[in-house]
Amino acid sequence: MEETCLEEGPAVNFERATLEIANTDPVRSSIENADDATKQHTAPRNVCNAPFKHIDVNTFFTDRNEVVERAINDCTEKLIKQNDDELVGSWLLTEISLWDTEKERLVLLATKALYSVKYDFISLKILDFNRVPILLFDTIVMGELIYPNSSLAPRLSGLAEGVSSIIHCAVRQEWSSIAGCSNLTQFEPRKRHMSGIRLMWNRGQPLPLIKKWNPFARDIPWLTYASHPLFWYKAGTEIVKTRFDIEAFHITLKSLLPHECNVVNLPIVIENYCGLGALVHNRNGLGFFKVRGKVSF
């Protein structure tokens, strides 16, 4: 009788204990998974190679709900439909000028042309735009953005990054971290760590010197784009992030190019040799519509 009681008693108790553990673990694991998913959305992807390390996503006007959608609808009505064209895709990208300055551009791809729009995301209006027919493109280059070997831009960028790290540690009173921040590795030359695309219609001809050294020249026969900073930092689904992704733009563009257009994968050389003006412009995000203290531009 005692053996029978012992056999029946523990069997029931152990079964209940097993059920309680099974009910508890999935809840705990689901909470951990939710925390991990939240961290993945809020943290930048590829942090070690992220080209923009000291930005606040909330300062971008384009991070606000429905701002980009409204801009796309506005540009579609005023630009694409007036030219009797049809929208294929839309992206918010970074346009890199001949002088290596980064500018926020709304890129609309239609069946007949590409529209690069300078849009005021504060007052919600079109400031300027550039329309290039698709049939005009003769070469498309996709690859990493690099500087010439003799360029001072990577060295100046590394110097600015090192000084910025020391200032950040001092302001936050992280005195124990200043020794690490002042490490010489912080001052090493900085690459862009960015892929880009260059759309060319110069028929292989070099740019004349009068245009190459003119900062006000507008009729440059190519456009250079990279992903928008929000691509690395904006929280949301992959569908949302695609709007800021240069590779997604490249895939859609290839389907519209004429057969005679040459598509190659090569490094894209940004001919910036001194880089001081571009460094100040890009590090302060002057080409983007942002909240800057009490002023927004």
Side-chain angles (χ1 to χ4, degrees), residues 59 290-296:
T59 61
K290 301 173 63 178
V291 178
R292 309 174 195 275
K294 297 182 180 180
V295 183
S296 300

Side-chain angles (χ1 to χ4, degrees), residues 72 75-76 79-80 87 89-90 106-110 113-117:
I72 293 172
C75 294
T76 302
L79 299 178
I80 296 180
L87 181 67
S90 55
L106 193 61
V107 180
L108 306 178
L109 188 59
L114 179 141
Y115 297 80
S116 184
V117 185

Side-chain angles (χ1 to χ4, degrees), residues 209-246:
L209 291 178
I210 193 172
K211 290 184 179 180
K212 189 173 184 179
W213 299 106
N214 180 11
F216 302 101
R218 291 177 55 89
D219 53 342
I220 306 299
W222 63 71
L223 292 169
T224 306
Y225 294 109
S227 296
H228 192 277
L230 293 181
F231 171 70
W232 285 274
Y233 292 88
K234 184 175 176 62
T237 63
E238 290 299 324
I239 297 177
V240 174
K241 292 179 181 293
T242 300
R243 176 166 290 168
F244 311 98
D245 187 9
I246 191 63

Side-chain angles (χ1 to χ4, degrees), residues 53 147 153-162 165 184-193 283:
K53 294 183 178 180
Y147 290 108
R155 296 170 177 81
L156 290 175
S157 180
L159 178 63
E161 188 68 29
S165 298
L184 292 179
T185 57
Q186 296 286 337
F187 296 87
E188 291 180 352
R190 290 291 194 277
K191 296 182 180 180
R192 275 185 168 269
H193 294 298
R283 285 191 67 86

Side-chain angles (χ1 to χ4, degrees), residues 95-147:
E95 180 179 331
I96 302 174
S97 70
L98 178 65
W99 292 83
D100 193 25
T101 54
E102 299 170 352
K103 303 176 181 180
E104 192 173 38
R105 290 294 182 265
L106 193 61
V107 180
L108 306 178
L109 188 59
T111 54
K112 298 179 182 178
L114 179 141
Y115 297 80
S116 184
V117 185
K118 181 181 180 180
Y119 194 87
D120 188 338
F121 291 98
I122 302 176
S123 58
L124 300 176
K125 63 180 180 180
I126 299 174
L127 300 179
D128 194 10
F129 73 95
N130 184 17
R131 181 182 185 273
V132 184
I134 298 294
L135 295 177
L136 197 61
F137 296 133
D138 61 80
T139 304
I140 306 295
V141 183
M142 184 74 183
E144 183 183 1
L145 300 174
I146 63 172
Y147 290 108

